Amino acid sequence: MTVPEEYRQASRDFEAVLVDLRDHAMLATTHRAFTTLEAVLRVFRRRLTVAEGLAFADLLPVGLRALFVSHWDCHQPALPFLSRTEMMAEVLALRHNHNLSTDTAIEDVVTVLRRHLDENALQMFLAGLSSPALSFWGFEPLAD
């Protein structure tokens, strides 16, 4: 069997996300975009159980999947979704001396990642979690 294309293109696809986030958030470098991306993914991950997190990771391209699960203390209980202000404080706490994320980092990352993911699959997955999960990703709750 040949190597699946998503693995062959993983670095290129990951770099495309970083460049997209850099440009969308008007960050100076992809290094800053990386920290912003990692911080937002961690904030979201903290609100998921391990099983939910692994299911979410399956929706991500290879590079994002690796970043999402990296350094995960899977023994920590899932936290509740908080106000956007409180979750932004969590974003800024990652490498706080070197974190130059924008005040809209969560929205910036969500906007960019939705362009790189299967949006329907993402929305259906989030709907199975909670309304706050949908809101985190900028979706309205689904009608019954």
Side-chain angles (χ1 to χ4, degrees), residues 4-53:
E5 197 64 23
E6 84 171 309
Y7 290 94
R8 292 174 44 90
Q9 301 295 329
S11 293
R12 191 175 323 174
D13 294 344
F14 188 69
E15 182 70 17
V17 170
L18 292 177
V19 168
D20 195 2
L21 180 57
R22 178 200 66 199
D23 294 348
H24 176 83
M26 295 185 286
L27 298 167
T29 67
T30 54
H31 298 285
R32 291 178 181 173
F34 177 84
T35 295
T36 299
L37 175 62
E38 181 181 17
V40 171
L41 286 175
R42 284 186 181 198
V43 167
F44 181 66
R45 184 180 75 191
R46 286 185 191 116
R47 272 97 194 138
L48 304 179
T49 66
V50 173
E52 291 166 344

Side-chain angles (χ1 to χ4, degrees), residues 39 43 46-47 79-93 103 106 136:
V43 167
R46 286 185 191 116
R47 272 97 194 138
L79 300 174
F81 283 89
L82 304 171
S83 71
R84 192 63 100 196
T85 302
E86 291 169 305
M87 290 189 290
M88 268 307 304
E90 286 183 45
V91 167
L92 294 171
D103 292 339
I106 294 172
F136 185 94

Side-chain angles (χ1 to χ4, degrees), residues 5-6 13-14 28 39 44 55 64 71 80 82 84 86 91-94 96-97 107 114-115 127 130 135 138 144:
E5 197 64 23
E6 84 171 309
D13 294 344
F14 188 69
F44 181 66
L64 291 172
H71 305 293
L82 304 171
R84 192 63 100 196
E86 291 169 305
V91 167
L92 294 171
L94 178 68
H96 67 279
N97 291 329
E107 289 83 2
R114 284 179 59 176
R115 291 195 288 247
S130 66
S135 295
D144 291 333

